Amino acid sequence: MNNLLVASALAAALTLPALTAAQAGPTPVPSYASEKCFGIAKAGSNDCAAMSGAHSCAGMSKVDSDPNEWVYVPAGYCSRIVGGQMK
């Protein structure tokens, strides 16, 4: 019974941070100098609202490389990425 209690406590301790992160809001601006780079986000991996107004949340893009979706990249990198645009 003691092993079950320890295993349950360990499982709860490992799961709680994942649940909290999943419920967090939009991705905050990174602590490094960054810029929004459009057209390179993978479906479901955008950082925030679509420029077209299709949605207002991170992770809601429907297709890869949508020109209305963006992700933060280090400043100066967007122009170096194929398909990356700074609107």
Side-chain angles (χ1 to χ4, degrees):
M1 188 64 159
N2 197 20
N3 287 342
L4 180 59
L5 182 61
V6 170
S8 295
L10 181 61
L14 294 174
T15 304
L16 187 58
L19 291 175
T20 304
Q23 294 174 353
T27 304
V29 176
S31 60
Y32 54 85
S34 63
E35 61 193 14
K36 292 179 182 180
C37 190
F38 294 85
I40 65 168
K42 190 173 181 181
S45 296
N46 61 302
D47 278 341
C48 205
M51 288 298 292
S52 64
H55 60 80
S56 61
C57 295
M60 295 187 71
S61 59
K62 302 291 183 207
V63 296
D64 290 347
S65 304
D66 185 330
N68 292 303
E69 304 292 352
W70 57 272
V71 294
Y72 284 115
V73 296
Y77 273 71
C78 189
S79 63
R80 297 169 57 187
I81 299 171
V82 173
Q85 298 290 321
M86 293 179 53
K87 289 187 180 178

